[in-house]
């Protein structure tokens, strides 16, 4: 990504005021365009811990890990006490509420379908009965 020939340093090297080279580990995850994300992560985790966390996961999971770290750092900055937990709790309560609503709607749908089938059954029975209305005679 950023090598000796590149004009811009990665967000980490720019912040730490050091030369960014081919061996810069954070350049892949925090390019120059992600300086805000790096600053937030640096404030919450510190560069050493950030590198340690990223290296602790398998290579194919690292980009997702960095995205998660950025999200958690943003939550921690916006709510220092509870961080991501508040958002998780709110979303879980919304899921629970909508699940209850979905259950109630499915229950009503089942009720209406069963009522509809009963009405159709009664309709068919009435059509098949031989209760024909006999016209009144003219006095014959």
């Amino acid at each position: 990504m950023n090598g000796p020939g590149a004009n811009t340093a990665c967000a980490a090297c720019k912040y730490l005021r050091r030369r960014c080279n081919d061996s810069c580990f954070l350049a892949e995850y925090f390019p120059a365009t992600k300086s805000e994300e790096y600053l937030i992560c640096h404030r919450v985790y510190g560069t050493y811990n950030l590198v340690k966390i990223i290296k602790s996961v398998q290579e194919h999971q690292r980009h997702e890990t960095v995205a998660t770290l950025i999200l958690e750092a943003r939550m921690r900055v916006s709510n220092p006490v509870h961080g991501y937990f508040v958002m998780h709790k709110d979303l879980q309560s919304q899921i629970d509420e909508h699940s209850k609503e979905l259950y109630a709607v499915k229950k009503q749908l089942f009720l209406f379908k069963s009522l509809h089938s009963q009405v159709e059954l009664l309709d068919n029975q009435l059509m098949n009965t031989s209760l024909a209305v006999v016209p009144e005679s003219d006095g014959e």
Side-chain angles (χ1 to χ4, degrees):
M1 293 218 138
N2 295 327
N7 292 336
T8 57
C10 73
C13 291
K14 188 185 253 185
Y15 179 76
L16 298 171
R17 295 181 182 189
R18 64 183 185 195
R19 185 178 301 270
C20 190
N21 56 32
D22 288 334
S23 64
C24 180
F25 178 74
L26 292 174
E28 184 179 352
Y29 308 106
F30 294 100
T33 57
K34 288 192 169 191
S35 58
E36 181 186 336
E37 287 89 346
Y38 172 75
L39 265 165
I40 290 171
C41 286
H42 174 73
R43 190 180 335 165
V44 173
Y45 304 107
T47 302
Y48 176 78
N49 288 327
L50 192 59
V51 170
K52 197 165 94 173
I53 292 168
I54 296 169
K55 283 185 176 182
S56 72
V57 297
Q58 295 177 0
E59 232 177 285
H60 70 277
Q61 295 176 322
R62 289 183 179 169
H63 283 283
E64 189 174 337
T65 301
V66 170
T68 303
L69 290 170
I70 292 169
L71 175 67
E72 288 182 6
R74 285 182 193 267
M75 292 295 130
R76 183 62 63 187
V77 167
S78 68
N79 189 337
V81 176
H82 298 290
Y84 179 75
F85 179 72
V86 170
M87 186 173 117
H88 175 74
K89 185 178 171 187
D90 289 344
L91 290 174
Q92 188 62 50
S93 67
Q94 286 179 18
I95 288 171
D96 293 344
E97 183 179 317
H98 292 305
S99 294
K100 288 177 187 175
E101 185 178 351
L102 181 62
Y103 176 76
V105 168
K106 283 183 176 180
K107 195 174 173 182
Q108 279 185 328
L109 186 61
F110 177 77
L111 174 70
F112 289 132
K113 281 182 178 180
S114 63
L115 285 174
H116 179 72
S117 64
Q118 287 177 3
V119 166
E120 281 184 339
L121 184 65
L122 286 173
D123 243 3
N124 288 339
Q125 286 177 350
L126 284 174
M127 293 285 223
N128 293 335
T129 57
S130 58
L131 295 175
V133 177
V134 178
E136 291 183 26
S137 57
D138 291 333
E140 289 180 30

